[in-house]
Amino acid sequence: MAQTARPRDLGLGHIEHPLLNRLVVDHAHDDRIGVLRALAPDSKDNTFGLVLMVPNTPPVAWLRPEGGGQEWTTDPDAIEAIQ
């Protein structure tokens, strides 16, 4: 049986993803299109002003609109490459 390769840890909770820095469609947000900037934990529930450690939460996909603007997060399973 073939083993599935584990994503490489890039540090600070970020993990490798084949679509990093590519245009993707986010099916969880009305097929919104953006650039995948990171796959990392979401620290929005962190009550500290600074992130002192990597949150122990599942990673989310961090997306940015193609022309720039405010990033948003989504479930990594909701994104796919633009065809």
Side-chain angles (χ1 to χ4, degrees), residues 7-18 20-21 37-40:
R8 187 170 57 101
D9 182 358
L10 300 175
L12 296 175
H14 289 69
I15 57 174
E16 186 175 55
H17 192 282
L20 280 176
N21 297 312
R37 302 296 296 149
L39 200 62

Side-chain angles (χ1 to χ4, degrees), residues 11-68:
L12 296 175
H14 289 69
I15 57 174
E16 186 175 55
H17 192 282
L19 298 177
L20 280 176
N21 297 312
R22 293 188 48 203
L23 277 178
V24 298
V25 60
D26 177 5
H27 296 298
H29 291 96
D30 299 320
D31 292 337
R32 189 172 178 191
I33 295 173
V35 177
L36 178 61
R37 302 296 296 149
L39 200 62
D42 189 350
S43 60
K44 70 181 174 194
D45 294 331
N46 184 358
T47 57
F48 301 107
L50 298 172
V51 176
L52 303 175
M53 64 181 171
V54 175
N56 187 18
T57 60
V60 295
W62 291 80
L63 303 163
R64 168 183 63 76
E66 182 178 11

